[in-house]
Amino acid sequence: MHVVITPAPQLTGEVVVPGDKSISHRGVMLGALAEGKTRLSHFLAGEDCYNTIKAFQNMGIDIRMESCFSEDGSEERRLVIQGKGLHGLKKPVKEIQAGNSGTTARLLAGILAGQPFEAVLDGDISLRKRPMDRIIEPLRLMGAKIGSRDNSNTLPLAIQGGRLKGIEYTLPVASAQVKSAIILASLYADSPTVIHQPAPSRDHTEILLRHFGGRLETRNHTLTAYPAQELQGRDIRIPGDISSAAFFITAALLVPHSRITMKRVGINPTRTGILDIYHQMGADISITNIDDTDGEPVGDITATHCPLYGIEIGGSIIPRLIDEIPILALAATQAHGTTVIRDAGELKVKESNRIDSVVRCLRAFGADIEPTEDGMIINGPSPLTGNIVTCRMDHRIAMMAAVAGLIAEGQTIITDGQWVNVSFPGFFQAMDELRS
Ligand code: S3P
């Protein structure tokens, strides 16, 4: 899908940010493993989450969208999952296709490790390149049998689950996907599992699992996950995804005379690194109406155009903003001074190699940006010029390029704009509606 972006003189108004992707995936997974119905309001109807839905339908779980009336009387759609309990999944009728979704593949591997059947897990050509050794190793230690073609430790994987044992494991990277795969497998283990994390990563699995009746203890960076007898289905309102909001926060900061508000966005502290960094860069961002939905904090975020200043970013804040680095790099091209991003080698194993793809894309716009081994160095402010962009199967690169197009001179064309549907269906329309 070709999308043409032209410069915006101003962006004002409200954006409804789609439901959080990480929480949407986990809601389907825990809903399927719980007893009774789980209803997810503001579920992210993006391609990644549909892959999770299809995986569980493939294992005999009834999942459908229904219309209902929300508290304010307006009609809304919610996802209803008819859980069959921890031991209710059936051997999949065909291989499980995770598509572009690393969260589907890695978290599901943890669940499959505890099932009494063999399943094959596959993905698209982008996901087939991403490392799976990080989940294979701990799940094998727990007792699962996992095979990959030529021992490549990449998808497709054949997973033969069974009786698992609890382990004590130190995560080699601060990855929420790996942590969550182990937590989900430990529901099926014969004893508790202890996980040591190098730094905190998003804790949605922990919050949601407790909400469904699971037992977990956390102390500092160490977590103990207990085997479960039973989980209970729940009704959950999913917060807006701060990783999606980040594109509009940045658009408001960069486009002159702009002000954009996003209501009920998730502000879980393990995800708000981007807000902390933008505040340090001098951004005008306010959060009001702070509330709590099912253990996840939410708030209304308003961002207003203002000058930004370069800073150094590294260390334990990186896992709290890892998905926002592409859009943060764009903001840094407009900031006064130098921005250095380090300790972000994980960017190389995302939907694309995001050190390469961010540098390649922003250089094409005329930015002054250098790749490093574990991040990038950006000098600003630089004027940007519109150009033709391919996002190479990476939704966040497509959205970064679209925001760059708003402040670039001339026209920007994104040749494969359909990739935004992975996490933000309706992204381009939402952007257009803010032009005044
Ligand atoms: C996610 C965790 C992060 C993040 C990804 C979603 C999750 O990946 O980049 O988009 O839902 O657990 P890692 O765990 O690989 O850091």
Side-chain angles (χ1 to χ4, degrees):
M1 180 177 85
H2 267 61
V3 184
V4 179
I5 314 280
T6 52
Q10 180 183 24
L11 296 173
T12 48
E14 261 185 44
V15 177
V16 178
V17 177
D20 187 280
K21 181 153 80 69
S22 296
I23 302 175
S24 294
H25 283 297
R26 288 156 170 81
V28 174
M29 294 180 182
L30 292 175
L33 301 181
E35 304 289 334
K37 274 193 177 137
T38 287
R39 298 180 191 84
L40 304 176
S41 312
H42 204 51
F43 177 80
L44 168 61
E47 282 169 10
D48 268 16
C49 297
Y50 274 115
N51 285 318
T52 295
I53 292 177
K54 282 186 255 164
F56 283 92
Q57 288 173 330
N58 194 354
M59 292 189 280
I61 303 295
D62 183 9
I63 305 177
R64 48 190 79 186
M65 272 290 183
E66 69 170 28
S67 289
C68 63
F69 290 101
S70 67
E71 279 165 19
D72 64 3
S74 60
E75 201 178 347
E76 70 170 11
R77 287 164 68 70
R78 62 185 176 189
L79 192 76
V80 183
I81 302 138
Q82 186 62 57
K84 286 201 174 160
L86 283 160
H87 303 284
L89 298 181
K90 289 207 192 89
K91 181 176 165 61
V93 279
K94 51 181 193 274
E95 63 167 35
I96 296 175
Q97 197 26 270
N100 195 249
S101 174
T103 307
T104 307
R106 297 202 177 109
L107 271 60
L108 206 53
I111 294 175
L112 291 173
Q115 307 306 315
F117 51 72
E118 190 186 63
V120 174
L121 186 57
D122 204 354
D124 69 10
I125 51 169
S126 153
L127 190 54
R128 276 183 170 202
K129 287 186 201 143
R130 297 177 66 183
M132 292 295 151
D133 44 349
R134 51 183 64 194
I135 49 135
I136 292 174
E137 183 187 277
L139 296 177
R140 273 188 188 149
L141 289 172
M142 293 179 83
K145 295 191 178 67
I146 305 182
S148 62
R149 215 174 268 158
D150 304 324
N151 287 326
S152 58
N153 288 339
T154 53
L155 298 183
L157 297 180
I159 304 179
Q160 173 65 62
R163 295 183 68 82
L164 301 180
K165 56 176 188 287
I167 56 168
E168 178 158 2
Y169 191 72
T170 300
L171 297 179
V173 279
S175 159
Q177 292 179 352
V178 180
K179 171 177 67 175
S180 301
I182 303 172
I183 294 174
L184 291 167
S186 54
L187 296 174
Y188 295 93
D190 60 3
S191 58
T193 284
V194 178
I195 307 168
H196 304 287
Q197 314 183 64
S201 59
R202 65 192 68 196
D203 61 356
H204 306 302
T205 305
E206 295 90 309
I207 291 173
L208 215 53
L209 182 56
R210 285 193 185 107
H211 197 58
F212 277 78
R215 186 174 162 211
L216 267 163
E217 281 159 16
T218 35
R219 189 188 297 177
N220 301 323
H221 297 170
T222 295
L223 199 147
T224 307
Y226 290 85
Q229 297 302 321
E230 191 177 292
L231 301 176
Q232 289 302 331
R234 294 278 182 250
D235 286 358
I236 290 160
R237 170 157 293 276
I238 297 176
D241 195 326
I242 191 165
S243 297
S244 297
F247 294 97
F248 285 99
I249 293 172
T250 310
L253 297 177
L254 300 187
V255 176
H257 320 294
S258 295
R259 169 178 282 229
I260 303 175
T261 297
M262 289 143 278
K263 294 206 169 137
R264 296 195 75 79
V265 177
I267 47 169
N268 177 320
T270 61
R271 296 286 299 283
T272 49
I274 185 71
L275 301 181
D276 296 352
I277 290 296
Y278 276 163
H279 279 134
Q280 288 174 41
M281 292 174 80
D284 181 351
I285 301 173
S286 65
I287 305 177
T288 53
N289 293 328
I290 295 177
D291 197 2
D292 194 281
T293 60
D294 309 308
E296 290 281 356
V298 295
D300 298 347
I301 301 181
T302 299
T304 308
H305 173 69
C306 69
L308 298 176
Y309 301 91
I311 57 162
E312 301 215 350
I313 305 164
S316 62
I317 198 159
I318 295 293
R320 297 178 52 229
L321 51 64
I322 188 75
D323 290 344
E324 288 64 76
I325 290 180
I327 194 65
L328 172 58
L330 170 65
T333 70
Q334 302 309 302
H336 298 267
T338 301
T339 295
V340 181
I341 301 173
R342 59 170 72 94
D343 304 323
E346 274 293 296
L347 289 174
K348 293 181 184 165
V349 291
K350 294 295 176 187
E351 285 82 332
S352 66
N353 175 336
R354 283 190 181 152
I355 296 184
D356 277 2
S357 47
V358 167
V359 170
R360 173 186 54 85
C361 183
L362 292 179
R363 269 192 185 156
F365 276 96
D368 177 351
I369 177 167
E370 284 295 325
T372 62
E373 212 14 67
D374 62 351
M376 51 199 90
I377 300 172
I378 305 147
N379 290 306
S382 331
L384 302 184
T385 312
N387 71 107
I388 300 174
V389 176
T390 16
C391 75
R392 296 191 186 161
M393 305 180 82
D394 190 332
H395 55 132
R396 300 200 200 277
I397 299 298
M399 292 188 276
M400 176 197 74
V403 178
L406 297 173
I407 53 164
E409 197 190 311
Q411 187 173 274
T412 293
I413 298 171
I414 302 171
T415 59
D416 46 2
Q418 74 278 5
W419 283 98
V420 304
N421 295 332
V422 159
S423 63
F424 201 150
F427 171 81
F428 294 111
Q429 198 188 334
M431 206 160 92
D432 274 348
E433 284 169 5
L434 295 169
R435 287 175 191 259
S436 42

